[in-house]
Structure formats: C-alpha cells, structure tokens
Amino acid sequence: MSTVSSSASSPSSPTLPLATRADSLVGSVIDSSTSMLAEYTHDIVKFGMGAPAPDMLPSSEFARIAKSVFSPESFTYGETQGEPILIDALLNYLQDTYQIPEEHFGKRERIVITSGGMQGLDLGFKLFVSPGDLVFCESPTYTNGSATAMSYEAEVVEVPVDHEGMQVDVLDEFVARAGRAPAVIYTIPTFQNPAGVTMSLARRQKLLDFAHRHNSVILEDNPYGTLRFSGDDIPSLSQLSPNDPLIFGVRTFSKFVAPGLRIGWVDVDPDVRGLVINAKQTMDTCTSMPTQHMVAQWLNEGCANNHVDHLRGAYLERKKSMEAGLERLFGDEIRSTDPDGGFFLWVTFEDESVNTEDLLPVALEEGVAYIPGPAFSPAGAFTNALRLCFASNAPDRIDEGLTRLRSAIDKYRPPHSRARH
Amino acid sequence: MSTVSSSASSPSSPTLPLATRADSLVGSVIDSSTSMLAEYTHDIVKFGMGAPAPDMLPSSEFARIAKSVFSPESFTYGETQGEPILIDALLNYLQDTYQIPEEHFGKRERIVITSGGMQGLDLGFKLFVSPGDLVFCESPTYTNGSATAMSYEAEVVEVPVDHEGMQVDVLDEFVARAGRAPAVIYTIPTFQNPAGVTMSLARRQKLLDFAHRHNSVILEDNPYGTLRFSGDDIPSLSQLSPNDPLIFGVRTFSKFVAPGLRIGWVDVDPDVRGLVINAKQTMDTCTSMPTQHMVAQWLNEGCANNHVDHLRGAYLERKKSMEAGLERLFGDEIRSTDPDGGFFLWVTFEDESVNTEDLLPVALEEGVAYIPGPAFSPAGAFTNALRLCFASNAPDRIDEGLTRLRSAIDKYRPPHSRARH
C-alpha cells in the first residue's frame, strides 16, 4: 500500500491506506479546466473543452420530449446493457444513415449502452489491462483515455502521430525495444483528439495486422466519426475487421447530440459483451434512465439526420473561420493541422521556446481559453503546442478569441524578444 | 494475463488477452434479475429488485420540472465533482431536515456527486483496494458491493450479521486468523441490505475503534438512512466520527427519490475528495447533467420532505402487510427480520433443505419474484433464505405475491415430503 499525508487529526491514522493504483490517478487537465473556468467572471472565449456550442445542443427538443416520454419506468432501474428501446433506435439510425451491411455495425448482441464514451474506455481498460501491462497510445493523445489505462497501472507508451495518424510502422520496433507486445493499443483513428488528423486506410490495415500478430486489443475510440464535413469516408477499424474480438469499439452521443447526457455505447464481440456487462454492474448498475428514454425518442422521431447535417455545415464554417483567423493573425509563426471533421485544430508554435502552459494565464486574463499541448501527453511533451476547439463558438466569437490569443502571445513574449522568459 | 475461449474465428487470436481481474468479474445476480424478468410475459409480483414502487416515483413532477429547467447548460459537460446547484440544494436539504450540526454532514468540500451509490462504491474500492487486500463485508451482504471489491482483486471475508448488525466482536479474531487487517470494511449499518437489520450504537462504536486501531477504511454504504419508519434514530458512522479520513460515506438519491436517475454522492475527507475527483474523471467525466438539474430543482422546490414522509408511511404499511401475510401463510415454517426502515425482509426457512435457488423457477412460474439467499454471499451461503422487497408493491399485491409464493413452495416441496429433492 502507498500512503499519503493526511491533514486530519485522527491520532491512530496519520496516513491513509491507499491502494497502489492511487499513485497512478493523475487527474485530468482537460476536465479540471471546466472547474477552473467556472471561477473566472470576465468574458472568456472558450476554445478549451471539446464540447459542442450551446446553440448546437437540442435542449428545447429534449424539454419537449421529456414532458411526453417520462413515465415511472423512466425512473426505476433498467437493464445493465441499456434500454432495449434505445439500442433498437440506435441500430436503426446507424443502419439507415450509413447504409452499411449489418455485420459492419453492431448488432444488438454486440451493444452495451454506457455512461458516456468515458465509461466505454473505463470498461475496455478494466477488462484488458493488468498492472504493468503495456498500453500504446497516440502522441499527442486524449489523456483522459491514457489516464484511465494508468488507473489500472498500465505502462503507457506514446507512439508519434503525423498527418496520416498514428505512425504504425514504428510499432514493431517499440515491441522489440520493450521486449513485449502491448495489451491494448488505444487509438482515435478518425478526427483524432487533439490532432484532428485521420489515420489513412493503409495504416489502418497495418494496425489490424499488428494487433492480430501480437494478440493485442485495439481500443478504437470513435467519438467524432459522425462529424465528417469534407473529404471521403474511411472505414473504421470495426468496419474493416467486422466481428473481430480484438476490436473494442467505443462510441458516444456526446459529440453529435449532447455531452451532458453522458450516454455512449460499446460495440464489442458478444463474448466480450458478457464481461462488459459484469464490469458495468460494478460501476453504476445501469446508465441514467430518463436520458436514455429521451435519446431513444429523439432518434425515433428522426431528429438525428437534420441535426447532424446542421452540425457538419456549421463546424466546417467554423473550422474555416478559425484557419483564416490563424493565418491572418499568426501567419508563419504557427503551423496547424487541417481536419476533415471533428472539433479540433492542433496548433504548434514554430518558436519552440513558446511554452503554452506559461502562456495560459496570460490568455485567460485576455479572455481566451485553450488546452496546452502537454495536457495531451502522459510525458508532458508538446510544450509549444495547444489544442483549439473550433466547434464551440460561432465565427465572430472565433475571430474575437483569436484576436485575444494574439494579444496574449504579444504580452507573454513581445515580438523579437525572449527577455521575459 | 488470463484467457477465455473465444467463439470468434480470427486465426491468430484464439484467446482474448484479458486482464487478471477479469476472472474476478463475477456478475450480479441482483442486476441480472432485471434482465431475466424482462423476458417473462405473464404477471409477476416483483419482490426481487430493491426498487421503489412505480407509484412512489415522482415522474410527473420531473416531467414538469424538465420542461422548465432544461437549458443548453443542462446538456454540456459539467464539473466532475457535480453541479454546484445540486450540491448546495442537497446540503440545504440535509441540514434543514435533520438539524444536525454542519460538521456531522458533508460540507461542500467533502461532497462529490456520483452516478448512483454504485459509483460511490466503485470509487471507494478503486482508491483503497490493492490486489490481494482483505475486505471485510457483512454476511449476508449487498454482493454488488463485494463484487466491486473483487473486481479490484480483493480477498473478501464475510463477517456474520445478527439482529444488531455486523458481529464486530469477531473482527479481531478474523484479523488474527488472516494475519493481517482489512484494507476496507464494507458495511451497510442502517436497514441493511438484504437483512434489514440496523447496527446497534455499541457496535458502531466498537467498529470505529477497530478501524482506528488497524488503520482500515470503513466504507459506509447508507442508501436507506432517510427511510426510517419506526424506532429511534441511530447516528451514522459518519456522524459518530465526523471529519474522520477513514470513513468513506456513500449515499444515494436512488431509494428516497428514484433509482433510474443514477445520482448519488460521496461524503469524504477533503484530502480523499481530490483523489475521488481524479478517479471519477477516469470513469465518466461527470454525472448526467439533465438529471442533476432536475433533482436540484426538485429539492429547491421543497418536494423532498413531503415525499419522504409519504414514503415512510407507505413503507411501514407495506412492511406490516408483508409480515402479516408471512405469518398467516407460512407461520413457523419461516423466520423473518423486523426492520425499522428501508426496503427488505430477510426470510429464512426453518427447513434447511429448502433451496431458494431451486425454488425460484417454480416461483416465477407461479408469478412471484424474489432474490435467493446465496445472491447475498460471495461464498454462496444462505441457501434456505431469500430477500423480499416490501417497498415495491401495495398491500393487496403483497398479499397476492405471498399467496403465489405459498403455492410455489407447496409445488416445489409438497408438505411432509422431501421426495422431490
């Protein structure tokens, strides 16, 4: 057991008998930013959290739906695997919209409704990571995912990402160096968080080959897949290798409906699903019932297609606004990724001495929030990078936010001078 | 890594690379009963699940409230520790209703809103149980709690329960026998699940003394504490030892408001709270936002006091009906506990050859559901006992259900004959 000092005065318990894994509970810079921003009272343009804009959330539709669908059954315990009415509505939506053969998307016996995509990650790592196991993740990555792996005492290894996604060619070298294969490869192949890049088809096939050779599980985190606004579709890993027990698919309603619902799903081999259900019983019994009933009704009313079309149009416009603003205000001081969907631009300052963690308090003072690059690396790399969410603000607010960011960088580091740092 | 056979046909992955803890994901008989019952089409009186009756759920109030409180803020990410408006409403309710000095209940810096009491248990065991650690639980116990401890590879030890709750006098002997102290003592001291008994004040004080001597954490699961309908209040362990870092208090809205909400809270030392927040970030980011906003408004409108008064009156009446029915129909064939609150009677057949797992399919065929005794013991004890929830049905349905149970036992084992088993 590890111990921490306690400020409490109980004479016989100077230290708490914490589990060994408590040392690995590193906390989330991303989530903490929600609490941190709540303490500021002046106007801040929020490019930080990966959340849809308030005007993109169907809250009035849900208020109407709540009044009609809430019944006592919406408030009692439900099945751990999720409400049948929601699972059916979801499968109908996926099949009608994407016109993909049934086996490529989940069938009912492959689906468990989860409390957000985050619980999908918790379930996957809880099932497949023993203490000391290797987990390969992307670098940069969504560190709430890698932190969950670490909460089960994984040893996380960062694999570089370029414009084609995870550099899967280096995986065998990483295995040779470690002397063992990863238990889990954690990837966000489509509109990656935070880099915005999409893994190429060739790399997806190489990754599948790697996983099969080493009997490693691929945890495919796909929160943004429905939000492509340009370019051609690339099949998900789940679609490329249907019915593959090594692919643990994690999906969510957070990005194309609303994150506050905390509803997602996992799409897994039926044998794995039984274990997922057992594991979820030890987590929260079942997912919130009133929200499951609301989303089922929203899908059954056919609200999703119009809504997603609207999101795609709006997010493309917002991405273009942000790219134009960055070009106008920062020119060749920065380079940025150019995503075909999702929420994020990943911006890197050419001047490697720019430290985006040091810049953040200046930016907040100026009235703009972002997430610093090191928040996306378990090792704290990417000190001169930052993540900007273009989805959360309309174009005029994006311009205002970028103007404030320009002002912040000028205050933080006057042009042609590094004297302040 | 342990492995399971997989029915999938991927040539290079005959077995799944499961984590060692996957062997310990035993599944919940209690939760599975929800799915099992959904498959029956004939009328069944449900004494199984520990859920409030449909007519005790304020679903129409919530439909009204949803329409007025839902805003875009109800559908985006919230703070991991919970919505401030809900935490304030909760603390006001607890303080106004129970008139207990502030330090005896949680202060804001002690509270984290959780996704049901179940997530509170997951958080507690995740923070305090390393693989191989001892966890003491009650026998019988709420096995979803002990299963969560086992999911972190705890070695669970069952401590007998009598009419005064956990037999704390035997704890030191158990420590001597094991050669080590428990990391966690998991207890439901008030209106215990499933036994319905309440730990006496003397035993509570002995349990606190034991925990302090051994630096063991007490995970105090208190879902029913608000539902006393007879007898005198006994302070919770949290109240008896305020600001004690060794007490991890788990509470929930499930039993006095509605379980489908999946909202609970933990009441812990502020130092522990920081770790709870980090751990919850790896589980679900935050608890469902629309339901948090609904419950905050429900509390702020003052709905809770009338509702809880109504529940207490109804549940006392229902308990008396069930006791009278058992006396009338089963006489001295059984003995039952006599709770002062909560949801459950624990019924033991004097004939030890009665096997309540074998009886269950007969009972379901007759149209009555219960949970068999072994579901409340990790070791599968209590084969001649069963749990009856009196809270879920009105008195006339209780009579009907018990008549069907009488009929089931007669069919399962004709009077004066054990020939069939």
Side-chain angles (χ1 to χ4, degrees), chain B residues 201-213:
Chain B
L201 184 60
R203 286 205 185 161
R204 288 174 193 234
Q205 280 158 341
K206 280 183 189 168
L207 181 59
L208 288 167
D209 173 66
F210 174 89
H212 288 139
R213 277 189 287 115

Side-chain angles (χ1 to χ4, degrees), chain B residues 105-112 243 266-270 273:
Chain B
F105 272 116
K107 300 176 212 166
R108 210 169 163 170
E109 63 270 26
R110 293 181 53 87
I111 302 292
V112 173
N243 302 317
V266 296
D267 177 3
V268 294
D269 186 78
R273 180 174 176 265

Side-chain angles (χ1 to χ4, degrees), chain B residues 9-91:
Chain B
S9 57
S10 178
S12 56
S13 58
T15 57
L16 281 169
L18 289 165
T20 50
R21 79 178 65 76
D23 288 337
S24 307
L25 293 167
V26 292
S28 163
V29 177
I30 305 166
D31 291 354
S32 300
S33 73
T34 303
S35 307
M36 192 182 65
L37 281 177
E39 290 167 16
Y40 282 83
T41 52
H42 67 284
D43 176 57
I44 293 182
V45 179
K46 292 171 186 168
F47 292 147
M49 201 70 179
D55 60 311
M56 296 289 154
L57 295 167
S59 56
S60 55
E61 283 176 351
F62 281 128
R64 173 182 59 74
I65 284 171
K67 199 155 167 59
S68 68
V69 304
F70 281 1
S71 73
E73 287 67 40
S74 310
F75 291 90
T76 193
Y77 289 111
E79 299 182 40
T80 304
Q81 58 266 40
E83 284 292 277
I85 190 176
L86 175 59
I87 296 173
D88 289 344
L90 169 65
L91 292 177

